[in-house]
Amino acid sequence: GMTDSNLTYTSAADLRADHSRLKLDKASGVGVIHYTAAELAEKLGSYVQIDGFENGSNGTVVINVDCTGATEINMPQARVVIDGVLQGTSEVVEFSAGKVIWNFVNAEGVLINTHLTTGMVVAPGATVNIKQNLNGTVVADKVLVNAESHRTDFTGTVEEPDVEVEEQEYYVTVRKIETGYAG
């Protein structure tokens, strides 16, 4: 239910680099973006840097991917940048880079292949195939580990954005029927 907000997308072509970029506009905020499975590859390509994080800030990036119609998804290499420094995907002893959530919806039966990744992968009903190092947590129906998987605790925050919600009234009709002994 969250709308796209607090993130700036820059393509690899515009960066003149080998990666696209998602930049958190406010280091202590929550950035949200939505893609379909097809848009994920089209927009982010094979490598995305997720930037705009600062030490001491609890910013979070949530990448929602709608898997409707997909059978297999290749996630881009997804690397986190904190204070301008690209975070590694080797073993972690200080948990500061856990600020990205990859949220795969409508993922029942989908195979999701990860590549060098820092962040949580939430994919209920899916099979997640860890093909290269992953620093984070994976929640899925099945997890295949074919590379190193390192625990990286989630250190961001997720708060609802300040969006005015229209209140709705709901009504329920109940009919009670007594059977057996009356009274």
Side-chain angles (χ1 to χ4, degrees):
M2 298 173 85
T3 59
D4 288 0
S5 60
N6 199 29
L7 276 177
T8 302
Y9 162 78
T10 309
S11 70
D14 288 342
L15 288 173
R16 296 181 185 190
D18 65 344
H19 62 275
S20 57
R21 180 174 65 200
L22 290 173
K23 184 171 183 191
L24 190 59
D25 296 333
K26 192 168 114 182
S28 61
V30 177
V32 178
I33 196 156
H34 297 77
Y35 293 114
T36 64
E39 289 172 331
L40 184 67
E42 177 187 318
K43 292 277 190 179
L44 300 183
S46 62
Y47 177 20
V48 60
Q49 286 188 2
I50 305 168
D51 201 345
F53 299 111
E54 297 174 2
N55 279 314
S57 294
N58 287 329
T60 300
V61 170
V62 179
I63 302 167
N64 292 310
V65 181
D66 186 348
C67 301
T68 301
T71 57
E72 185 172 357
I73 296 172
N74 287 306
M75 282 181 58
Q77 181 183 145
R79 307 286 299 280
V80 169
V81 178
I82 300 175
D83 290 331
V85 177
L86 186 65
Q87 304 299 294
T89 55
S90 58
E91 190 169 349
V92 176
V93 292
E94 290 186 30
F95 303 106
S96 63
K99 300 175 181 293
V100 178
I101 301 172
W102 291 85
N103 183 37
F104 291 88
V105 297
N106 303 316
E108 185 74 34
V110 175
L111 173 63
I112 300 169
N113 297 304
T114 71
H115 300 282
L116 292 174
T117 300
T118 299
M120 294 181 63
V121 177
V122 181
T127 297
V128 174
N129 184 15
I130 301 172
K131 296 180 87 169
Q132 293 178 319
N133 288 10
L134 181 135
N135 283 8
T137 302
V138 177
V139 177
D141 186 47
K142 294 179 187 165
V143 180
L144 308 173
V145 181
N146 295 300
E148 294 180 27
S149 175
H150 303 282
R151 182 185 121 209
T152 295
D153 294 344
F154 180 72
T155 60
T157 59
V158 179
E159 299 172 3
E160 289 288 329
D162 293 330
V163 177
E164 194 165 315
V165 178
E166 183 179 316
E167 290 188 30
Q168 295 180 358
E169 290 186 25
Y170 296 94
Y171 299 93
V172 176
T173 302
V174 177
R175 182 176 175 208
K176 180 179 178 182
I177 300 174
E178 202 170 309
T179 60
Y181 297 104

